[in-house]
Amino acid sequence: MTRTVYVNGAFVPENEAKVSIFDRGFLFADGVYEVTSVLDGKLIDFDGHAKRLERSLSELDMPQPMPTDELLSVHRELLARNDLSEGMIYLQVTRGSDGDRDFVFPDPDTTKPSVVLFTQAKPIAQSAAAETGIRVISIEDIRWGRRDIKTVQLLYPSMGKMLAKKAGADDAWMIEDGFVTEGTSNNAYIVKDGKIITRHLGNEILHGITRAAVLRFAREAQMTVEERSFSLDEAMNADEAFITSASTFVMPVVEIDGRTVGNGAPGPVAKRLREIYLEESRNSAI
Ligand code: PMP
């Protein structure tokens, strides 16, 4: 099926969508993105994603391409036109193109941002991986220092996934100064003696929208949450481990660098949080 995508104000068939070769997203990775999950034809945590987009843009001195209510309308129109009931909507905003290549930012009054959205149909609530858990390897975190901005510079995370694949694993956790920062495209957690431990917010990690929701639900369910750095060693000796992201929700991790975490099966905390997250998200989807 040919998707209908959104590009700079128009809904067009995917093979007719065009962006300039001078677009700064293409030449400089000068752009930001969001991925919003869709369940039952509705958007999960749209407000969270819209707010983070606003922040990413403002951190990079990029103008907001449209007001949030308009952005919501575009998301909904795209869902309707593609008859999407489950999967994701990918949104990318770049600094646009002034028709040449120059390191200096173009004048935002004359160069408008490029805005692209497309749907990805995929079963995400029912997941075989969530039943068995995933295996991760550790790799050095050599990304830039502003990982809190959700930029499209995803080469290293992409290389990390390839290293994991070559090692027969599913994903990679990144390590800086001995401490786990996050997964290639997700936030990382361990559970020890009933406590949920995940790295504190800062410039070193992306402030996951799923992370915020999961920690809120965990606290509401009287679980103890510690937002602090944890080492690779601590992770290997944890009772449980898991990751969160918009497309995987809560996903148990059962092996790190070939060492079994806990008893090697998804743990009760991760399972419970996945259930709560899915239920609450379906209820509050818009
Ligand atoms: N960290 C990184 C590096 C990511 O790329 C992502 C997902 N894009 C996340 C964390 C999770 O963020 P979210 O829960 O908002 O999907």
Side-chain angles (χ1 to χ4, degrees), residues 259-272:
R259 276 188 54 178
T260 299
V261 179
N263 65 4
V269 174
K271 277 204 224 163
R272 181 80 193 108

Side-chain angles (χ1 to χ4, degrees), residues 15 110 130 183 186 262 273:
N15 50 358
T110 48
N186 42 68
L273 284 174

